[in-house]
Amino acid sequence: FVINLVNKQLAKSCDYCGVKSGKDEDKFASCGLSYIKAKNLDYAYSIVESPVNISCKVKQVIELGSHDMFIAEIVGVTADQYLLDENGKLCLDKAKLVSYNHGEYFVLGEKLGFFGYSVASKEVFENRMGYKKEHDKYKRLREQQPKKGKKY
């Protein structure tokens, strides 16, 4: 199977394909989508318009009652060239990816932190985030939350 990441430009097509049946129409044609053979998979296809495609092979299926959980191995990744920086690092923030939460779509992209930012020194924080630690806009929100046994 392939995980085709959805960006802002694909959100409406993704929603349409999710709510309409393919019984009486070609949803790809209706949405102007195209497909290509997935990287390192024999029988799966990727959506060409998706900025990132993740090819996966199922290793295990766990039945959970109301649904199944698939454990898979990633066997290939393709990404649009504009998402790579000069060192080849994948910069997903440039993709304007979309998340789906409780029936609504949201565009992602605001950097909240980096691994270890909650314990980083002031110097490391400011170097990585590009602004002063005392201006951490999320610090105030964390401090306002009830403690409930958590650090913030």
Side-chain angles (χ1 to χ4, degrees), residues 1-4 36-42 44-46 52-58 72-78:
F1 68 93
V2 179
I3 299 169
N4 297 287
I36 189 169
K37 188 179 173 316
K39 184 174 184 175
N40 299 328
L41 295 176
D42 293 328
Y45 293 86
S46 296
V52 178
N53 314 98
I54 306 168
S55 299
C56 304
K57 285 189 178 179
V58 176
E73 174 187 4
I74 296 172
V75 296
V77 176
T78 57

Side-chain angles (χ1 to χ4, degrees), residues 19-145:
V19 298
K20 296 295 272 185
S21 170
K23 180 181 176 189
D24 298 321
E25 73 173 301
D26 178 347
K27 294 188 284 186
F28 266 52
S30 297
C31 293
L33 299 175
S34 49
Y35 58 88
I36 189 169
K37 188 179 173 316
K39 184 174 184 175
N40 299 328
L41 295 176
D42 293 328
Y43 303 107
Y45 293 86
S46 296
I47 298 172
V48 172
E49 293 78 13
S50 173
V52 178
N53 314 98
I54 306 168
S55 299
C56 304
K57 285 189 178 179
V58 176
K59 293 298 182 182
Q60 183 180 2
V61 179
I62 302 172
E63 294 181 18
L64 299 174
S66 64
H67 60 282
D68 295 337
M69 179 171 61
F70 294 85
I71 307 296
E73 174 187 4
I74 296 172
V75 296
V77 176
T78 57
D80 287 351
Q81 193 65 36
Y82 77 92
L83 297 175
L84 302 176
D85 71 7
E86 61 277 354
N87 298 315
K89 175 185 171 188
L90 182 61
C91 302
L92 285 177
D93 56 310
K94 295 179 182 178
K96 298 195 184 313
L97 294 177
V98 170
S99 68
Y100 181 78
N101 184 32
H102 296 285
E104 298 178 318
Y105 299 96
F106 297 90
V107 176
L108 303 176
E110 182 178 357
K111 183 177 179 180
L112 302 178
F114 53 89
F115 181 74
Y117 84 101
S118 63
V119 296
S121 70
K122 182 178 178 180
E123 180 182 344
V124 168
F125 181 91
E126 291 173 1
N127 184 45
R128 296 278 303 272
M129 294 299 289
Y131 61 87
K132 295 193 177 294
K133 193 165 188 173
E134 54 266 15
H135 297 296
D136 176 1
K137 57 185 160 184
Y138 300 100
K139 181 178 180 183
R140 182 180 50 80
L141 294 174
R142 290 191 303 268
E143 290 171 348
Q144 289 175 351
Q145 292 177 354

